[in-house]
Amino acid sequence: MGEIQTVGVIGAGTMGSGIAHVFARSGFNVLLCDVEQRFLDRALASIRTNLGREAVKGKLAGGDVDASLARITAVIFGALRDQVGDLPRP
């Protein structure tokens, strides 16, 4: 089995957006999934704000904010299968 490069996060609420934030900041590609676009939009705005705060405090380089956000792909739950394809079942 290869090294993990992409993670999926189901739910873009407070916990899901926080998980997506940490994984994206750590260099992973993230599929952030929720049932409505408005939830995804709110999560991405929150992640952008939080990354910006980290940059202001010097915990993150300014360029890393955009790079981290670029690693997050927001998908509506019904479209998730198109993003990941058929997954093997145990």
Side-chain angles (χ1 to χ4, degrees), residues 5-90:
Q5 297 176 0
T6 303
V7 297
V9 179
I10 308 296
T14 302
M15 183 178 277
S17 64
I19 293 167
H21 169 148
V22 170
F23 270 109
R25 187 172 183 255
S26 299
F28 291 89
N29 294 314
V30 178
L31 289 174
L32 179 60
C33 180
D34 212 312
V35 295
E36 291 186 32
Q37 186 63 45
R38 64 188 174 113
F39 300 139
L40 295 167
D41 293 341
R42 184 178 60 206
L44 291 172
S46 175
I47 293 168
R48 178 181 298 279
T49 298
N50 292 335
L51 287 169
R53 283 185 191 138
E54 290 180 62
V56 167
K57 292 180 180 179
K59 296 181 179 181
L60 184 67
D64 290 340
V65 170
D66 290 333
S68 294
L69 287 168
R71 286 191 278 274
I72 301 173
T73 301
V75 294
I76 295 173
F77 187 70
L80 182 62
R81 185 179 184 114
D82 295 336
Q83 292 288 327
V84 297
D86 290 327
L87 297 174
R89 298 186 184 262

